[in-house]
Amino acid sequence: MWRWRRNPLRRRSDVVDAWIVLAAWLIALCGGVLTGLAAGSAVDHGLDRQRAERHPVSAVLTENAPGGTSASALDGSHVWAIVRWTAPDGSTHTGRAKVHPGAKAGTLATVWVDRQGRLTSKPLTHIEASFQAAWTGVPVGLGVAGALLGGAQLVRLRLARRQSRQWDEEWARVDTPWGWKAG
């Protein structure tokens, strides 16, 4: 706040510097929050659309799934196997999907398909989507705010160099009439 008070040593460049700092922080704060919210909202809408477009269907294993009684079967992981399913338009499709290890041919499995009946991954839940939207929005907002503050620092650096040149010129004017040179 000292830069705005009346002071005989205050220069115009000090006031400009103070306004740059104030404006940069305000713009970075507002810009960071707004872009972060916009990015998070865009991700959230995309994931909502994805949840609306994907749906589960029953599929039948066409081969025995690998992995019988291995450690992978015990920890709940899945293995890839060929499955067959019927698309919404009535056509039959086959493809590779994750199933329980050791499942026998003919076993029913649930797979996720899009509107065209193509295999796809399971959509994120609402909680997972919110988490992903937040973890997209926060870095975007911080990045925008950081870029704005970095730009302001560059402007302030140029202003500081200009102030330094002005100090040199003022010292040169004062120093010479007195008859001695500093430095």
Side-chain angles (χ1 to χ4, degrees), residues 101-161:
K104 302 291 182 204
T107 304
L108 289 178
T110 301
V111 296
W112 288 83
V113 296
D114 60 13
R115 289 184 177 167
Q116 289 77 32
R118 296 179 299 224
L119 275 179
T120 185
S121 61
K122 181 179 176 181
L124 298 177
T125 65
H126 288 290
I127 293 171
E128 292 169 335
S130 297
F131 186 75
Q132 186 168 347
W135 278 105
T136 300
V138 168
V140 167
L142 290 175
V144 167
L148 290 169
L149 290 174
Q153 282 300 107
L154 289 175
V155 171
R156 290 184 68 214
L157 179 64
R158 291 189 62 143
L159 185 62
R161 287 181 181 163

Side-chain angles (χ1 to χ4, degrees), residues 30-42 133-134 136-142 144:
C30 294
V33 167
L34 291 176
T35 56
L37 288 173
S41 178
T136 300
V138 168
V140 167
L142 290 175
V144 167

Side-chain angles (χ1 to χ4, degrees), residues 13-28:
S13 60
D14 294 329
V15 175
V16 170
D17 186 45
W19 281 108
I20 289 171
V21 170
L22 179 64
W25 277 102
L26 288 175
I27 292 170

Side-chain angles (χ1 to χ4, degrees), residues 57-76:
V57 295
S58 291
V60 178
L61 268 73
T62 60
E63 63 181 19
N64 291 334
T69 59
S70 68
S72 65
L74 298 175
D75 70 3

